[in-house]
Structures are given as structure tokens and as C-alpha cells.
Amino acid sequence: MPLSFPFTEVKSVTRWSNYSGTIGPRAVPVYCTPDVMGVAGMDAPRKLRRHGAALEAILNHVWSTPGATLRAIGSRWSFSSIIQPGDVVVDPANLDTLLEVKPEWLNEEYRRGRFEQGFVPVFAQGGTQIASINRRLLDVGLALQTSGAGDGHRLAGCLATGTHGSALRIGAVHDTVLALHLIIAPQDSVFLQPERAACGPEVAAWLARETGIPTRSVQDDKLFAAAQVGLGALGFVHGVVLETAPLYALRGRILARPFADAEVWKTLDDLETSRLHPDVQERPYHFEVVFHPYPSNGRPGAFVRMFWKVSARDVAHDSPLPVAPDLASDTMGLIGKLTGLVDGALPTLVLRAVIGDQLSKRFVPGDKAPALPGMVWGPTSLPPGHGTSTEVVVDQRRAHRALELLFDILRTHADKGEHLLGAVATRFIPKTRALLGMNQSDMSCFIELPSIRNSEVEGIYRDFWDALEKDGVPFTCHWGQTHGMNPKRLTTYFGPNVERWKAARDELLSSAEAKRVFQSAILGEVGLL
Amino acid sequence: MSNNRMQALSLVAAVSSACGGSQVRLVSPDTTPGSRYTCQPGEGAVCQPATTDVPEDLDPSGTVFVILPRECKGKVHQIVVLDAGSSHPRVDATCAPQAEPVEGMTSSYPSAAPPATAPTSRAPTSRESE
């Protein structure tokens, strides 16, 4: 008899893969999408009650099936095994409720502080896509403080992988989370906050009433710091409370400089961006540098992108249109364009021109009119099935050395006819409290190497990771991207946080069944089991 | 929302078979992906939940990309692809009214803006220049 769960479409998928094609195709025997059609009528349960009933029944099934695991699937952008599905998958596409937390349910300290400054806690279900959050927040005059380089992520996926942007003073998405609602067993959930909590106990009580799943209010710094970047392995992220900001716009500027530009490299060393914008006193809100992997003399090879936060008044309130897979708006989208242009092996000389042409078209120098955050970080144009990427994270003070090692490796491989078919992007964000957040240093530098996927690129990535280790540069890799992490490297970078995260997992998921159900392949790869 | 999506995919399926394997991808602005279906053309056709889910399968080289009218707000009644087999297909899209649930009569009634007028068409953005 086929499986059935309340308010849920259940199907068996014979071929499934992630967006880039690095995982699968493989079968997913039980693929569950709660609340596909919704339910109308006077007696219909409310939306969150439907979701609670669905998740409770699905979890009951996985709990009682020996060896079964459960993965929630986000937008499937991840390249790593963090997205590897097990026997049962939950697609949370319809878990997309957004609600402002009632001011009277906020703690006094938060209400008199951040709330009075205009920051508003918003409850968002884990399946909500960033693009949808941007659109709906815009309607009420609010905005996310940061997001990733695109807007296609789902919120729970951002928290599982540590998704970040380039906001110099904010951090990553997980650094704007005030609370998480984790379902950790069929009839057990926690509303988890740090000890200086923003929300009062009313929110946990409301969640219990609405979902029908008992919800404990827990205020614990260690558990919260573990769950901020939970790798999808600390329970089902039903929802989070995000701290949103009053709606703002971003005024942009792009510089196209030679690869060896002394000002650019000096700025990577000290993050004193003022030398790049002498006419603007204020430090930019976002700052990133994208390098040509095979620069040539006399041509632009370092593209600086900066955004300043400005008033949203008089800025057109519009959200971006969908884009065809070859019309890119984000760095990763460069692959999209190159996919259509590069077919087979090309000599460095030709490739240098192709990549240079694409970068110059994408990063046209000059001042850019203010745009809302949801318009700046728009849809990806990455074509499915072709891409790969790794992102290495180091202390900003080691960024220069890490880049020297990288460009040596790129040159060595190019001499053998092996190329990175993409670009080198560098971004910087401040320290997190999240135990496994990649931004562990006072300022962390993220070096991203998106590329068209081939075996040569994998070799370049491997050599980069090995060179960093050999040179004594502690590093980690983006949880959602191709990674070179192992237990030793993880401990070198995260130190005692590794054991703290494992202890938090033991505390949150106290039974063997819970650990088995929420287990993820990536935990075994990096020594987190 | 799901009904609209089913209709759209149904038409894409019809178009795909009609033009000998070439594909037209219709995307509705201001929406996010939900559940997927596979539909067959014909009278009283029934859509089934898609049993394969490999993004690359839906994006072969030469796929024509069309953005549907933003005015539909994601609710589409009908889509007709004209000259589907050609290099310059055109799309005739008919929005569905943004039907609101039954509400009590209050001073703010009606609470919804009037539905967008239909049809709206837009020239496709194609990938053929690649």
C-alpha cells in the first residue's frame, strides 16, 4: 500500500539530482511535499497546523523505519554531500509563511533597543526562498540585512550551509537569526534562542498551538551557536526568526583595475577601502573583488564591486525578472555564459580572452544607481548540470598569502593546459558566534572559485587545499560547495568548536533514532559523527 | 498556485512534442518553484507528479526562454505558443483573475485590486545566439 501522510503529496522519484549535477542522478523512494494544494473551507486546519501534521506523520514514518534518514531539500544549489538525499526527502517549498513577531511578544531589552531602532523580528518558515522574502518584506518596508550572492536559496538551506554575502559589518545570513524552531522528534520541538533572547515565551507557545507539535522554549548560547549553522543535521528547521532592517537601497560602484593594482592588493591586506573611494567618506556596506584567473598585462584583471547603504526613498520598488540561464547577474552566473562559449580544451591565450571579455561585460566600471537589495542580489543564471565551485575561507590576514598560492597553482596548471573555467571572487565578513560558521576570524576572507565542471578543475581545487595546508594557512571550505575538508583540517580551523558542536548535537538529539534520522553524509566526511 | 503551474507545464509538454523535441521554457515572475508535474496533451488529460527531477534534463541546448506576464501575478489561465517550432516563437498568455476568498462586507470591501486584463504577450528571450 502506498505511503500517505496528511496534507502531503507523496511520490517516488526514479531520478533525482542537485542543480549542478554533482550529486546523482539517484532514486529517492519517498519524496514528500507538504501542503501542495492547501485546504479551503471553514473546518480546514490553519496552514501551520497542516504543516505540523504532515511533518509529524513523516517523522513518525522515518523514526519507525530501521535505517531510514530524512533530508530536507532546499533549492538544491549545494554542490557538496550536505544535500545528499536519503530514503525520505521533504521538499519544504510550501512552508513559506512570513509573519512579523508581535511587539508585545518581544523581550523588554530587545524592544527598547534594536526594535526601537527600526529592526523588526520576522518569523519565516524554512522553505521560504530569499527572493520571496525580499519581495514580501519590501511590501512592509523591510529588508534582509544580508543574503547570498543570489536570491534563489531557501532559508533553511542558508542556515545549513552558512550562506553569506559580502556585508562588511553584518556577517552571514546565520548572523541575522534571532531564534530557530527545530523539530527534533515527531512530538518534540524546541524554540531555540541565545541567553539574551529577543523573543518572549509567547512565541514558543504560539508555535506549539499553531503546529500542534509540543514546543519547548530553550535559551542556551551553546545550543543556539550550534544550530545557527546546523548542516541540516540538528533537526528539521521549521522556521527561524530573522532580524530584518528598515528598507534600504544600495548605491553601487565598480572599478576595473589591472590584476596587480597596488591599491587593490593593499586593500585586501588591511580592508581600508577608502583608498578605492577617496570621494566617499563612508565605508561600503558590501565589498568584493573578482579576479581574472589568467590576467594579462595592460588589461583589467581585478574588478572591485562596492555598495553603500542609502535611503530607499525615490528608488523604484521592483523585483528582478527571471533570467535565462545564460544572462547572468551573479558571479556564479559567469559559468553560465562560459558554458555556451567553451567547448573542449582551449589554450590559455584563447581562454584568457574569453574570460576577460565576460568579466568586462559583467563588471562595467562606474557608479550604479541605487537599487533595492532584492534587485542587486537577483536570480542566478547558472545553467543546471555544468557547474562546480569551491570556496576556501581563511583569516583575512592570510588572504594575500592564500591568493598568492592560488595564482601559482593556476599558472602551473595552465602550463599543462588545465584551466579554471570561471573567476576568482573574494569577499569579507566579520566574526560569527556560530560554532561551525565559516566566518571564525575577526574578519574572514572567502575565496570562491566557480567553474564549469571538469576533471581538471577538481585537480586545481585539490592542489589549492593541499598548498594551504602545507603552507600552514588554516582554512575551511564552504559547507555547500565542493570541499577538501577532513577531520584534521576541520579541527585545525574550528578548534574546540568541533567538539562543542558534537556535544550540542548529542544534547539536542538525545536518542539514537534522532541522530540516525537527521544524519547527513557530510558529517562522516569531516569527522562530526 | 499549483493548478496554474500544472496548466503551464501541460502546455509546455504539448509544445515540446509539437515542435519535434525543441523546448520552450516559460517562467512566471515573482514566483518561487513548488512541486512539479508531468502532463500529457489531450482531452481531459491528467497531470501526474513528476517522477524524475534532474534539472539538467529540462535545459537542453537551444531551449527558448520566455518570461510570462508579471501582470498575471503567477496566476495564468492559458498559454498558447505560436510558431512553436520556429526560431522565433511568440507567446499568448491569458492571466487568471486574482480571485479572493469570500469576505464579509466591510467598509474596505472590495479589498482586492481589479484583476489584470488579458491577454498579454511578450517576445521570447532565446538562447539561440549561443
Side-chain angles (χ1 to χ4, degrees):
Chain A
M1 191 171 138
L3 281 170
S4 99
F5 306 117
F7 313 113
T8 301
E9 179 187 277
V10 184
K11 64 184 180 182
S12 179
V13 175
T14 54
R15 290 177 74 243
W16 179 97
S17 84
N18 62 340
Y19 190 82
S20 62
T22 57
I23 305 286
R26 54 154 293 169
V28 177
V30 182
Y31 191 103
C32 307
T33 312
D35 216 17
V36 169
M37 297 296 286
V39 178
M42 293 289 283
D43 298 327
R46 288 158 63 90
K47 188 175 175 185
L48 264 59
R49 179 55 68 102
R50 298 196 298 269
H51 298 169
L55 293 168
E56 182 184 340
I58 294 165
L59 280 169
N60 262 325
H61 166 72
V62 186
W63 234 257
S64 60
T65 306
T69 61
L70 175 81
R71 290 311 280 167
I73 294 297
S75 290
R76 296 190 287 172
W77 281 15
S78 286
F79 302 94
S80 72
S81 64
I82 201 165
I83 198 179
Q84 177 80 51
D87 316 84
V88 182
V89 155
V90 172
D91 182 340
N94 304 307
L95 275 63
D96 63 351
T97 300
L98 283 190
L99 297 165
E100 287 184 33
V101 178
K102 285 185 179 184
E104 57 267 35
W105 289 358
L106 298 173
N107 283 333
E108 184 72 6
E109 182 189 359
Y110 186 87
R111 196 164 55 229
R112 288 184 177 276
R114 300 284 283 176
F115 185 69
E116 284 193 359
Q117 292 164 28
F119 294 90
V120 177
V122 170
F123 172 79
Q125 280 187 296
T128 319
Q129 205 181 46
I130 296 295
S132 175
I133 297 176
N134 286 337
R135 277 193 294 274
R136 291 190 275 169
L137 287 182
L138 191 155
D139 288 341
V140 292
L142 296 171
L144 291 174
Q145 297 183 67
T146 189
S147 61
D151 68 1
H153 311 76
R154 288 195 185 146
L155 193 49
C158 289
L159 300 183
T161 61
T163 297
H164 65 93
S166 55
L168 282 172
R169 277 170 296 211
I170 301 296
V173 175
H174 52 255
D175 297 310
T176 66
V177 168
L178 298 172
L180 298 103
H181 183 218
L182 301 175
I183 301 177
I184 52 177
Q187 266 294 302
D188 191 13
S189 72
V190 290
F191 182 65
L192 189 54
Q193 300 187 87
E195 279 150 30
R196 284 182 68 184
C199 301
E202 297 91 342
V203 180
W206 174 83
L207 281 163
R209 273 199 312 276
E210 288 293 322
T211 63
I213 296 177
T215 303
R216 292 176 280 135
S217 179
V218 176
Q219 294 176 21
D220 183 307
D221 285 347
K222 290 192 314 292
L223 295 180
F224 181 75
Q228 275 178 293
V229 177
L231 311 183
L234 297 184
F236 183 90
V237 180
H238 171 251
V240 302
V241 177
L242 289 168
E243 186 184 65
T244 66
L247 185 64
Y248 58 93
L250 294 166
R251 181 169 52 78
R253 175 176 292 181
I254 291 174
L255 309 176
R257 299 281 181 92
F259 175 81
D261 185 273
E263 286 188 334
V264 171
W265 283 91
K266 213 166 175 188
T267 306
L268 296 183
D269 288 339
D270 61 13
L271 287 185
E272 279 297 329
T273 59
S274 56
R275 63 174 69 86
L276 297 172
H277 50 83
D279 57 323
V280 183
Q281 274 199 330
E282 195 188 340
R283 200 177 194 211
Y285 192 71
H286 290 274
F287 171 74
E288 65 178 322
V289 182
V290 176
F291 289 104
H292 192 313
Y294 308 105
S296 52
N297 289 334
R299 304 273 302 160
F303 301 85
V304 181
R305 196 155 71 137
M306 297 173 283
F307 289 99
W308 286 267
K309 204 171 174 179
V310 295
S311 165
R313 220 178 56 180
D314 304 328
V315 176
H317 288 197
D318 211 355
S319 43
L321 286 169
V323 294
D326 58 354
L327 299 172
S329 65
D330 61 342
T331 312
M332 286 290 288
L334 181 68
I335 306 168
K337 198 69 183 173
L338 291 174
T339 304
L341 295 172
V342 179
D343 186 15
L346 282 175
T348 306
L349 209 61
V350 176
L351 199 63
R352 178 180 286 157
V354 172
I355 294 176
D357 181 54
Q358 291 309 311
L359 285 170
S360 294
K361 281 181 186 159
R362 185 177 308 277
F363 298 103
V364 178
D367 286 346
K368 311 294 169 190
L372 301 176
M375 299 167 72
V376 173
W377 320 112
T380 186
S381 59
L382 181 65
H386 296 285
T388 186
S389 187
T390 191
E391 188 171 61
V392 161
V393 191
V394 297
D395 186 320
Q396 177 259 326
R397 291 167 298 184
R398 314 296 287 269
H400 197 132
R401 178 62 185 151
L403 287 166
E404 280 176 355
L405 291 169
L406 172 63
F407 282 99
D408 275 349
I409 288 162
L410 289 171
R411 272 191 294 273
T412 306
H413 277 268
D415 289 345
K416 294 187 282 184
E418 299 169 356
H419 296 97
L420 177 85
L421 305 175
V424 178
T426 57
R427 303 185 185 94
F428 303 86
I429 59 171
K431 188 176 173 66
T432 184
R433 288 185 303 176
L435 294 177
L436 295 183
M438 298 167 287
N439 45 327
Q440 289 293 313
S441 307
D442 287 342
M443 285 301 281
S444 295
C445 174
F446 293 69
I447 304 171
E448 187 181 28
L449 309 175
S451 177
I452 298 170
R453 190 170 71 250
N454 61 25
S455 56
E456 300 168 9
V457 170
E458 301 278 327
I460 292 170
Y461 292 168
R462 221 173 7 256
D463 284 358
F464 187 29
W465 303 324
D466 292 347
L468 288 166
E469 186 173 51
K470 196 174 165 197
D471 207 66
V473 179
F475 73 98
T476 192
C477 294
H478 192 301
W479 291 110
Q481 300 200 15
T482 305
H483 72 85
M485 299 310 287
N486 56 37
K488 182 177 162 227
R489 287 173 175 174
L490 197 77
T491 304
T492 302
Y493 187 81
F494 287 102
N497 281 3
V498 173
E499 289 307 317
R500 289 180 188 137
W501 191 89
K502 287 160 78 171
R505 179 169 176 258
D506 286 343
E507 193 174 336
L508 274 169
L509 309 179
S510 52
S511 71
E513 287 82 9
K515 287 196 183 73
R516 180 252 299 168
V517 166
F518 296 114
Q519 186 168 317
S520 163
I522 202 166
L523 300 188
E525 291 170 13
V526 302
L528 282 169
L529 283 178
Chain B
M1 190 65 110
S2 297
N3 283 331
N4 296 321
R5 187 159 180 79
M6 282 191 272
Q7 285 175 330
L9 288 176
S10 173
L11 280 153
V12 172
V15 167
S16 298
S17 62
C19 58
S22 66
Q23 299 202 51
V24 180
R25 183 172 161 201
L26 311 170
V27 184
S28 198
D30 307 330
T31 60
T32 54
S35 43
R36 292 181 51 251
Y37 298 84
T38 306
C39 306
Q40 300 297 323
E43 288 284 326
V46 177
C47 295
Q48 298 287 345
T51 55
T52 66
D53 196 356
V54 177
E56 189 177 3
D57 290 353
L58 298 178
D59 190 49
S61 177
T63 297
V64 175
F65 183 80
V66 182
I67 298 173
L68 293 172
R70 169 166 267 168
E71 291 79 355
C72 288
K73 297 181 180 171
K75 296 191 79 170
V76 179
H77 169 69
Q78 173 180 280
I79 299 166
V80 180
V81 181
L82 304 163
D83 300 325
S86 78
S87 58
H88 296 287
R90 289 172 297 117
V91 170
D92 186 295
T94 308
C95 298
Q98 308 290 315
E100 296 296 314
V102 177
E103 293 180 81
M105 281 188 189
T106 65
S107 56
S108 63
Y109 181 85
S111 59
T117 52
T120 305
S121 62
R122 185 187 290 271
T125 307
S126 79
R127 300 183 62 194
E128 287 139 13
S129 58
E130 283 181 9

